[in-house]
Amino acid sequence: MAAPGRPPRIVLLAALTCAIASCGIPRSTPAAGTAPTPTTAISSPAPATASPKVPGGLPDLTRLDQGDATAVSKAALTLMWIVDSTTDHSQRDAYQRAIPLLDEFYKVSVADQPGGVVPGQWIEHHAYAKVRLIRRTPEGDVPADTPALAHRAWEITVTPTGRDGWKGAPVHVNAFVTLRRKDPSAPWRVSAVGTA
């Protein structure tokens, strides 16, 4: 699991790049004993007006119940993991879409992360990340929710999906989300995401 308070280090694009690396033959995970390494980040983010046009769309933050920790954690993870090769340069662009749901400290941490690059095979197929989240019960000694602190666990499946019908190997990740708010009337904000 990633260190608390630090965003996952480009887990999606690194894992997916490894999954499609060998002559386009998908692999679900990197070779045993090796860890995916992030590629060099592209420093220029997608234009501010660019937004993925993926089937099903992105979470509508104007309709999101920000007093619901589960809804906020799910929306934030969805925004962080939907990468679209037709609009995004890297996963950093996806993280930027999640900024409204992050607390002030986590925003800084996310901004400092490398972005990875969108794999060439995605670009060839005009692919996007099809994201599916299933809520799980957090494992271990996780404290119960309080009015100002909550934890949520999710199983994330990301499937590279081309607009031409191509599909890459799915990647499975478990995410543990910590949310905080100043008081019971304030909106929940994500303060950490750990992945395994």
Side-chain angles (χ1 to χ4, degrees), residues 2 6 10 22 26 42 45 65 73 82 90 111-112 119 123 127 129 143 156 162-163 169-170 172 179 188 191-192:
R6 304 230 19 154
I10 314 312
S22 300
I42 296 175
D65 178 359
S73 66
I82 289 182
S90 71
D112 290 342
I123 295 168
I156 306 171
R163 289 175 172 84
H172 305 281
L179 302 103
W188 287 105
S191 64

Side-chain angles (χ1 to χ4, degrees), residues 138-143:
E139 295 180 9
D141 191 18
V142 178

Side-chain angles (χ1 to χ4, degrees), residues 14-177:
L16 291 172
T17 299
C18 291
I20 62 173
S22 300
C23 302
I25 300 169
R27 292 186 334 208
S28 60
T29 58
T34 63
T37 55
T39 55
T40 304
I42 296 175
S43 59
S44 60
T49 57
S51 182
K53 303 287 188 240
V54 298
L58 296 173
D60 182 352
L61 298 186
T62 64
R63 295 177 183 223
L64 179 66
D65 178 359
Q66 296 186 24
D68 179 342
T70 301
V72 171
S73 66
K74 183 177 184 180
L77 288 176
T78 301
L79 289 167
M80 287 176 164
W81 290 74
I82 289 182
V83 177
D84 186 342
S85 67
T86 66
T87 58
D88 296 332
H89 294 108
S90 71
Q91 192 170 4
R92 176 177 285 152
D93 298 324
Y95 285 173
Q96 293 302 311
R97 288 189 288 273
I99 289 285
L101 300 178
L102 310 182
D103 73 10
E104 294 305 316
F105 297 107
Y106 197 51
K107 286 178 189 179
V108 173
S109 186
V110 164
D112 290 342
Q113 292 300 303
V117 294
V118 175
Q121 195 167 12
W122 283 45
I123 295 168
E124 177 186 338
H125 294 285
H126 305 286
Y128 63 94
K130 184 175 182 179
V131 177
R132 183 176 61 115
L133 286 98
I134 299 172
R135 186 164 173 206
R136 297 292 184 210
T137 301
E139 295 180 9
D141 191 18
V142 178
D145 288 357
T146 70
L149 178 67
H151 302 284
R152 297 293 182 268
W154 295 93
E155 177 185 314
I156 306 171
T157 301
V158 181
T159 306
T161 305
R163 289 175 172 84
D164 60 1
W166 171 83
K167 284 197 182 204
V171 172
H172 305 281
V173 177
N174 292 313
F176 183 77
V177 182

